[in-house]
Structures are given as C-alpha cells and as structure tokens.
Amino acid sequence: MKPRPVSNPPNPWDTTAVEYLEEIPPAKLEVLEDHSREVLGRNDSPDVGFTWSVNPYRGCLHACAYCYARPYHEYLGFGAGTDFETKLVVKPKAAELLRAAFERKSWKGESVAFSGVTDCYQPLEASLRLTRACLEVCAEYRNPVGIITKGPLIERDLDVLTTLAQEARLSVYITLPFHDEQVARAMEPYVATPRRRLQTVERLAAAGITVGVAVAPVIPGLNDEDMVRVLTAAREAGATRAFYTLLRLPGPVQAVFEERLREKLPLRAERVLHRIRETRGGELNDARFRVRMRGEGLYADTIHKLFHTTARRVGLNTTWSMEEEEKESPFRRPMKPGTQLSFF
C-alpha cells in the first residue's frame, strides 16, 4: 500500500477536530483489537436479504471509494476517509463468541452472512484467519452461511466451504461491479482485478460451490455500461446467481467518493455526478428504505431493466435474499456440539 496523507471528512461525533498547519502526515496502518462480548449482528433493514451477520473486521484495506460502511468508523472515534482504510479493528475472539451464540437455546440455526459490513477476506485475513475460524464453527454446527467478498483469499478455505456446502448450505457472492480494470483500480485501488475475481468465481464453481456475482454498486454514468460484460463473463465462469445495488453515498461517503472521482477520473466526474442525481431525485443520496438500493426515475429504471434482461438472457438467477434461498433449500438442523468433521 502506497503512503497517503491523512484525509478524513469531519466526524460529527467528535467534539474536537484536527487541522494540519504544515505538511500532512501519512496515514499509517494500525491494527486494534475489539473485545466486544457479541459477534452476531442483527439486521432489521427491509432492503437487506439476511437477518444475522458476522463481521470479524471493521475498516477495510481495500479502500473502495464508494464503501457504504465508512460512516460506521466514525462511531469508533475515527474518520471515514483514510482512517477507515488504515485504522483496522479486529475481533480476536470472533470464533469463540460465535460458538457461544450457537450454544444458546434461543439459536434456531438461521443463516449467517459474512461481510455484511466490511470484507471478511480483506488482506488481514491472510494472517489472522478470523473468518476461517468462524466458518469452521459454522461447519461444526452445520449452520447455513452466505458470504459476500471481493477477496480471492476465499480460495484458501475451499475445504471448509465444501464441507459447509455438503453438510449445511452455502452461497457465495463475489463482488464484481467493474469490467474495465483501469476504472476499477481508480475506485477500489487495493482489490484484485476483475479478471482475477472471475477466476475465483470459476474455481469456486468447479469445487461445487453455489456462487454468484454482486454487481455492487452500480455507479450511474461510470460502470452501468460494464453490466452486460460483467454478467456474461460471470456466467461463463460458472456463476448461477446475481444481484445489483445502486450506489449509495450516506454521510461522509459522499465526500470521499467525490474527491476520489475528481482526482482519478476528472474528465468523467461531472457526468457521473449528474447521472447519480438523476437516480436520486436531484440529490447525491436517498436514504429511504426500499428506494436506497435501487433509486428512482427513468435512468434508475433503465439500469434495473438492463440488469434483469441481461441476467435472464445469460441464465443467471436474480434471487439474492438468503431468506429466499432458505425456501428453496431448507437448512439442516445444527449438529450436536463437539461433533468433528473431516477438515479439522
């Protein structure tokens, strides 16, 4: 990761602010521990297709300009800009806490989503292995799992994933919003290239894993033109499902996104911002439930139709809700605690 100067939008939760009068220092990587007593997060949003999620990491080295999770970092007293990308918070006891949750009599074996907030296979996972440890617990209890990630590191865990697919239920979505590698590098600088992510789709599919693509986010005027190529290439690689979400720019994400857009793609910036406003009633963001993921207006409707028409043509199922997947394939009852499986 190249050194970058500290740059964060103002944090509304801080009572003080830092202003550098001379040279701005570089943002340095820091790894901090979170010793929360719970690891399962409950989602009540009607726009998201899962109820329970596990996020072993907060903040993300991928540094995607559009990441909707940036505001969560402000609740920790950090910034949503370079702090989100370099001050990373990890949950070292994530697997232990997940096991405790599964042991409760109230737990019904519902699906658990990984990467509901930040990527569970971001670079730190290579050494910390927190996601793998949690997946091993899910496999031991035969608990259904859904994963959304940009990280080819998921290939490392094919043994655990295969066990989950055979013994419980597993679906994996690889996030693939861009086909153009230069544009992808501008907006998501530390993520594997689109071509490499398609290889991950291919390898997961070859291993018998149900794999889909998340065309997320679709940025009007920037990558909506990539949608046909992304969906076609994903299907050829073995994907069977797909979903999309429209770009959201909540709170400080708007400032981070616009700054990156103007810096990296200056000739396209005004057109992109204009198109975003076309889908958001003249604004850059619309936080209303049931609208925020899709947008409104002619341009948003055109994106919606293009996605679904293309998906049907190439043979991709557009059901992405984990609850809907449960209806198609009811999960098995959890195993008795202590049962050992072959991958250990």
Side-chain angles (χ1 to χ4, degrees):
M1 178 181 289
K2 297 179 181 179
R4 291 163 291 157
V6 172
S7 178
N8 294 294
N11 186 340
W13 310 109
D14 276 354
T15 56
T16 60
V18 175
E19 181 178 353
Y20 297 100
L21 301 179
E22 297 182 359
E23 184 179 356
I24 301 176
K28 296 181 179 180
L29 178 62
E30 297 181 56
V31 180
L32 309 169
E33 292 190 355
D34 175 358
H35 292 283
S36 299
R37 296 183 180 180
E38 299 288 343
V39 74
L40 276 174
R42 186 181 180 91
N43 166 64
D44 296 318
S45 168
D47 298 319
V48 180
F50 57 83
T51 301
W52 299 101
S53 66
V54 173
N55 293 284
Y57 305 98
R58 299 179 74 173
C60 189
L61 272 168
H62 285 158
C64 302
Y66 52 73
C67 185
Y68 64 85
R70 287 179 179 273
Y72 297 119
H73 232 48
E74 294 183 331
Y75 302 151
L76 303 177
F78 301 137
T82 51
D83 280 2
F84 178 80
E85 303 159 11
T86 57
K87 296 183 185 296
L88 306 182
V89 182
V90 305
K91 299 176 183 178
K93 295 185 179 181
E96 178 183 328
L97 294 171
L98 186 59
R99 182 184 298 277
F102 287 171
E103 286 284 350
R104 293 173 187 152
K105 293 181 179 179
S106 59
W107 183 249
K108 300 177 182 178
E110 298 169 86
S111 294
V112 172
F114 285 75
S115 294
V117 181
T118 54
D119 202 316
C120 63
Y121 279 106
Q122 62 175 289
L124 274 182
E125 170 62 17
S127 56
L128 297 184
R129 302 170 71 88
L130 300 179
T131 297
R132 180 182 174 94
C134 288
L135 291 175
E136 288 176 348
V137 172
C138 290
E140 180 181 343
Y141 284 79
R142 289 183 177 173
N143 202 91
V145 167
I147 300 171
I148 303 175
T149 182
K150 297 182 176 80
L153 181 59
I154 191 174
E155 297 169 16
R156 178 200 64 188
D157 294 340
L158 272 174
D159 56 337
V160 187
L161 299 176
T162 301
T163 299
L164 277 165
Q166 295 172 348
E167 300 289 340
R169 191 188 65 257
L170 171 71
S171 63
V172 176
Y173 285 89
I174 302 301
T175 305
L176 190 62
F178 301 98
H179 193 274
D180 186 304
E181 295 195 0
Q182 290 185 335
V183 176
R185 184 63 64 215
M187 292 290 103
E188 38 184 41
Y190 302 109
V191 186
T193 65
R195 184 182 305 176
R196 180 63 183 86
R197 278 176 268 177
L198 283 168
Q199 290 178 359
T200 298
V201 172
E202 187 172 7
R203 290 169 183 173
L204 291 172
I209 306 297
T210 299
V211 59
V213 290
V215 188
V218 173
I219 304 173
L222 186 61
N223 68 338
D224 47 334
E225 61 195 38
D226 281 0
M227 189 182 295
V228 172
R229 288 182 294 173
V230 167
L231 293 175
T232 302
R235 185 69 186 98
E236 291 172 352
T240 58
R241 298 177 180 271
F243 73 87
Y244 87 97
T245 61
L246 197 68
L247 174 72
R248 294 195 293 125
L249 297 173
V253 184
Q254 180 177 321
V256 174
F257 175 81
E258 186 170 349
E259 179 182 4
R260 183 85 60 82
L261 182 65
R262 292 190 183 280
E263 176 190 354
K264 299 295 184 180
L265 301 168
L267 299 181
R268 304 183 68 172
E270 286 301 330
R271 176 175 179 266
V272 171
L273 295 172
H274 173 73
R275 289 299 193 188
I276 293 171
R277 290 188 176 96
E278 280 192 65
T279 66
R280 299 296 187 186
E283 304 294 333
L284 287 177
N285 192 54
D286 185 344
R288 290 177 295 162
F289 287 143
R290 305 192 187 283
V291 175
R292 59 183 185 150
M293 298 295 195
R294 174 176 165 176
E296 289 183 321
L298 179 60
Y299 202 87
D301 289 345
T302 300
I303 291 172
H304 183 77
K305 290 175 183 177
L306 177 61
F307 172 81
H308 286 281
T309 299
T310 304
R312 284 196 299 270
R313 178 175 59 81
V314 302
L316 289 168
N317 187 331
T318 55
T319 298
W320 71 279
S321 165
M322 290 175 66
E323 278 80 359
E324 290 298 319
E325 291 178 10
E326 286 176 0
K327 293 176 185 177
E328 296 178 10
S329 177
F331 58 80
R332 301 185 181 188
R333 297 183 62 83
M335 294 178 67
K336 294 181 180 180
T339 302
Q340 301 295 303
L341 295 175
S342 60
F343 64 83
F344 287 116

